[in-house]
């Protein structure tokens, strides 16, 4: 890996850790972050500016506090999602990738956790992946054992994925072994929800054409609701999350008959 790639990776991990610290401590100061990460004041201020733009934190005089933008209609774009809960997403991705068997036909939903999962499929054999995410398609293109089917449609800007009637029509004609879905929120009452109606419609079809539905969801999203439901709790076969998830909520999910897989254990 090049030095530039290492720098980008470190920046993602640093920003993910900043978000975690802000949410855990409720307030962090710039001097403390400078000391903690051993970087310049300009670097930290740039991180805070980018994280605020993505709705992940709120800047204050001399530091940052948790974001107040976590409303049902709010959705950070792909760039912002890349830095949130990155370590947890990679653990979840590994468990999900282990569920893909040679010879499978799978749908891989758009999202940063599913992208991390896609990166782990390089050694699979004779897998067909149906995707509507441009980044995931480019990732999988390099893998000799993965055949990639890209769903066309209207490109959702800043989210790198296709939606709309063309995407819906092609998806609805398929039958697949497994669908790996991302989600913006999950609750026992509402199941998986997302802020965007068009995205929800595509996800609903992914659920309908799959023999097995697997949801990838980091613990920060559990117990929350977004705008539109796309799959109820009773339609999910397996739910992969991380060990930061609330234990009481996980127990409630298991009582519903959900197979709950906790990555990191």
């Amino acid at each position: 890996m090049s030095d530039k790639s290492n720098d980008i990776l470190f920046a993602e991990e640093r920003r993910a850790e900043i978000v975690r610290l802000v949410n855990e401590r409720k307030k962090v100061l710039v001097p403390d972050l400078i000391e903690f990460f051993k970087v310049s004041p300009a670097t930290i201020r740039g991180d805070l500016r980018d994280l605020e733009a993505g709705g992940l934190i709120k800047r204050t005089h001399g530091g940052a506090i948790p974001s107040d933008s976590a409303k049902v209609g709010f959705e950070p774009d792909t760039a912002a999602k890349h830095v949130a809960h990155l370590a947890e997403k990679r653990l979840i991705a590994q468990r999900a990738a282990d569920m893909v068997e040679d010879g499978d036909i799978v749908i891989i939903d758009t999202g940063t956790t599913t992208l991390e999962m896609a990166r782990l499929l390089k050694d699979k054999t004779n897998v067909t992946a149906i995707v509507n995410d441009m980044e995931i398609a480019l990732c999988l293109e390099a893998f000799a054992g993965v055949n990639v089917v890209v769903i066309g449609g209207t490109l959702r800007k800043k989210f790198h994925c296709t939606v709309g009637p063309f995407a819906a029509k092609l998806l609805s004609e398929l039958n697949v072994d497994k669908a790996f879905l991302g989600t913006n929120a999950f609750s026992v009452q509402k199941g998986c929800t997302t802020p965007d109606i068009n995205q929800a419609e595509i996800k609903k079809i992914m659920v309908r054409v799959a023999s097995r539905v697997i949801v990838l969801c980091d613990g920060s999203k559990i117990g929350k609701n977004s705008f539109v439901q796309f799959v109820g709790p009773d339609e999910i076969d397996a739910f992969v999350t991380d060990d930061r998830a609330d234990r009481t909520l996980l127990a409630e999910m298991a009582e519903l008959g959900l197979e709950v897989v906790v990555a990191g254990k």
Side-chain angles (χ1 to χ4, degrees), residues 106-124:
V106 301
I107 287 174
I108 303 178
D109 188 16
T110 184
T112 51
T113 308
T114 48
L115 174 59
E116 293 296 333
M117 170 196 164
R119 289 171 173 157
L120 300 171
L121 300 182
K122 62 181 182 298
D123 295 324
K124 301 293 182 180

Side-chain angles (χ1 to χ4, degrees), residues 188-258:
V188 171
Q189 297 75 25
K190 298 289 186 179
C192 294
T193 49
T194 183
D196 187 79
I197 292 174
N198 294 316
Q199 195 76 64
E201 289 305 309
I202 295 300
K203 290 174 182 281
K204 286 177 182 178
I205 298 171
M206 291 176 173
V207 170
R208 193 162 67 239
V209 302
S211 297
R212 184 167 168 79
V213 176
I214 301 161
V215 172
L216 283 56
C217 177
D218 71 72
S220 70
K221 300 174 181 177
I222 299 176
K224 299 178 180 179
N225 292 311
S226 191
F227 183 43
V228 188
Q229 183 196 64
F230 63 87
V231 61
D234 58 333
E235 300 174 280
I236 300 169
D237 295 295
F239 189 97
V240 188
T241 188
D242 60 84
D243 60 7
R244 291 175 180 265
D246 184 277
R247 297 293 185 273
T248 301
L249 292 174
L250 292 181
E252 290 179 15
M253 292 160 62
E255 287 176 7
L256 292 175
L258 269 174

Side-chain angles (χ1 to χ4, degrees), residues 118-140:
R119 289 171 173 157
L120 300 171
L121 300 182
K122 62 181 182 298
D123 295 324
K124 301 293 182 180
T125 302
N126 194 30
V127 168
T128 297
I130 294 97
V131 303
N132 71 326
D133 184 296
M134 302 301 103
E135 283 191 272
I136 292 175
L138 288 171
C139 168
L140 294 174

Side-chain angles (χ1 to χ4, degrees), residues 22 30 36 50 79 88-89 110 148 151 161 184 202 217 221 240 243:
V22 169
V30 169
F36 186 86
D50 292 343
E88 290 86 353
K89 288 176 180 180
T110 184
V148 186
I151 301 298
C161 66
N184 295 84
I202 295 300
C217 177
K221 300 174 181 177
V240 188
D243 60 7

Side-chain angles (χ1 to χ4, degrees), residues 39-50:
V39 294
S40 71
T43 296
I44 290 298
R45 291 192 182 98
D47 287 342
L48 297 183
R49 183 173 58 251
D50 292 343

Side-chain angles (χ1 to χ4, degrees), residues 57-72:
I57 63 155
K58 182 176 181 180
R59 284 190 295 170
T60 62
H61 181 67
I65 60 176
S67 170
D68 59 3
S69 59
K71 302 174 181 177
V72 295

Side-chain angles (χ1 to χ4, degrees), residues 1-117:
M1 184 180 291
S2 68
D3 289 342
K4 184 177 180 181
S5 297
N6 282 325
D7 290 345
I8 293 170
L9 180 61
F10 178 69
E12 285 188 357
E13 293 174 340
R14 184 180 64 247
R15 291 174 185 175
E17 182 67 8
I18 289 171
V19 173
R20 187 190 69 78
L21 289 170
V22 169
N23 289 326
E24 181 180 277
R25 300 179 183 180
K26 306 307 178 187
K27 182 176 182 180
V28 296
L29 300 175
V30 169
D32 294 336
L33 293 174
I34 293 168
E35 175 63 25
F36 186 86
F37 292 105
K38 308 298 183 186
V39 294
S40 71
T43 296
I44 290 298
R45 291 192 182 98
D47 287 342
L48 297 183
R49 183 173 58 251
D50 292 343
L51 291 170
E52 183 179 52
L56 297 170
I57 63 155
K58 182 176 181 180
R59 284 190 295 170
T60 62
H61 181 67
I65 60 176
S67 170
D68 59 3
S69 59
K71 302 174 181 177
V72 295
F74 173 76
E75 183 176 16
D77 64 20
T78 298
K81 289 178 182 178
H82 271 304
V83 302
H85 306 285
L86 186 60
E88 290 86 353
K89 288 176 180 180
R90 286 175 173 165
L91 289 171
I92 292 167
Q94 182 63 68
R95 293 299 293 269
D98 291 343
M99 295 180 180
V100 178
E101 301 173 277
D102 291 343
D104 270 350
I105 300 175
V106 301
I107 287 174
I108 303 178
D109 188 16
T110 184
T112 51
T113 308
T114 48
L115 174 59
E116 293 296 333
M117 170 196 164

